[in-house]
Amino acid sequence: MIERGSGVAVWRQIEETLAADIAGGALQAGQQLPTELQLADRFGVNRHTIRRAVATLVERGLLRVEQGRGTFVQDNAIDYAISKRTRFTQNMAKQNLSSDVDILNSDTVPANAELAELLQVAVGDALYRIKTLSRVENRVVDYATLFFPAARFPGLPEAYLRHRSVTRALAECGVADYTRRFTRVTARLPDIETVDYLGIPKNRPVLHVKSLNVDAAGAPVQYGITCFNGDLVQLVMEQE
């Protein structure tokens, strides 16, 4: 119950009540929070007061906001293994989680100096650029931009469209196996595009991952920049 004049702000009392509901299981992981209007009716306050309490719970990591869908109780983070052979679909299958990949865009761009050095091509050489969204249990967990040397892999965008898998697309193009040369992880605030695709607040940091995959001879085959929703995913570094 809300106690006015208790010396504790009303919004703070609502925050602690909802936090207790989460801790006690009345609001379960993944469950959608009642609407602001429903909560305002429950506590007998205005929507602004509810909004402040909910925003604080989001900052505490107990709730998450999905743009266009609503506010949800935070789930347990999905483990995403980073190893010598990092494979998205296999990662999720090992945890009995359903997954799929949406292809947002596929085009060809000239290699700038950084990409040319990473992929061992000349500046200005054509690279395939593919932008994707990965979903786990129907939730968007990452937004990625993938680069491939076009001269080496003619037809790769079409293969990726068919398989929606880097592993299968490269196999169709003659690369039977590849390994991770490096994975570089930083935390940073998302840009507007990432905010829109991941459906996260603009002040919520993402896990920004740069990675390079190479074939058996050590030649680069794919470079990727992936932004993970840090509320849903935790990266697990595995040794092999």
Side-chain angles (χ1 to χ4, degrees):
M1 298 294 293
I2 299 302
E3 298 181 11
R4 289 176 169 80
S6 66
V8 179
V10 170
W11 69 267
R12 181 70 73 184
Q13 294 181 56
I14 295 171
E15 174 201 348
E16 293 305 326
T17 300
L18 293 175
D21 287 348
I22 295 170
L27 290 171
Q28 299 185 357
Q31 181 178 341
Q32 186 168 8
L33 200 69
T35 65
E36 286 182 356
L37 182 58
Q38 291 170 325
L39 290 173
D41 288 342
R42 172 185 170 183
F43 292 107
V45 298
N46 59 47
R47 295 170 68 177
H48 175 75
T49 302
I50 294 297
R51 197 170 296 132
R52 185 170 182 183
V54 169
T56 305
L57 290 168
V58 171
E59 291 176 0
R60 289 172 58 179
L62 296 179
L63 299 176
R64 72 173 189 275
V65 177
E66 295 187 12
Q67 292 184 357
R69 294 192 62 206
T71 304
F72 296 80
V73 178
Q74 190 59 273
D75 303 82
N76 295 326
I78 297 165
D79 287 343
Y80 192 97
I82 303 293
S83 63
K84 186 178 180 180
R85 289 179 173 80
T86 299
R87 309 289 190 262
F88 170 69
T89 303
Q90 294 177 14
N91 259 340
M92 298 304 106
K94 288 180 180 178
Q95 300 175 67
N96 295 315
L97 298 173
S98 63
S99 63
D100 60 84
V101 176
D102 291 339
I103 299 174
L104 301 173
N105 185 52
S106 177
D107 59 5
T108 303
V109 297
N112 60 23
E114 179 186 12
L115 292 172
E117 181 178 0
L118 288 165
L119 292 170
Q120 295 182 9
V121 298
V123 173
D125 279 1
L127 301 177
Y128 294 132
R129 179 177 63 181
I130 302 175
K131 296 187 177 184
T132 67
L133 286 182
S134 297
R135 300 178 187 272
V136 177
E137 301 291 318
N138 294 318
R139 295 172 297 171
V140 177
V141 297
D142 75 57
Y143 164 52
T145 303
L146 313 177
F147 297 93
F148 305 84
R152 181 176 177 184
F153 300 124
L156 185 139
E158 292 76 16
Y160 190 88
L161 180 62
R162 285 192 295 273
H163 300 295
R164 297 177 186 270
S165 162
V166 171
T167 302
R168 293 176 182 175
L170 286 174
E172 185 172 315
C173 294
V175 179
D177 188 26
Y178 61 92
T179 56
R180 182 66 58 90
R181 174 171 289 176
F182 68 72
T183 301
R184 297 169 182 162
V185 183
T186 58
R188 62 175 63 181
L189 291 175
D191 58 23
I192 296 301
E193 191 173 59
T194 303
V195 166
D196 289 341
Y197 283 133
L198 295 185
I200 58 175
K202 62 182 180 181
N203 62 346
R204 176 72 68 183
V206 295
L207 300 175
H208 189 268
V209 179
K210 295 181 177 181
S211 59
L212 182 68
N213 290 316
V214 299
D215 64 15
V221 296
Q222 180 251 324
Y223 175 68
I225 302 171
T226 305
C227 292
F228 287 94
N229 183 339
D231 288 341
L232 299 180
V233 175
Q234 62 180 2
L235 303 181
V236 180
M237 304 300 173
E238 294 188 344
Q239 293 183 340
E240 295 188 34

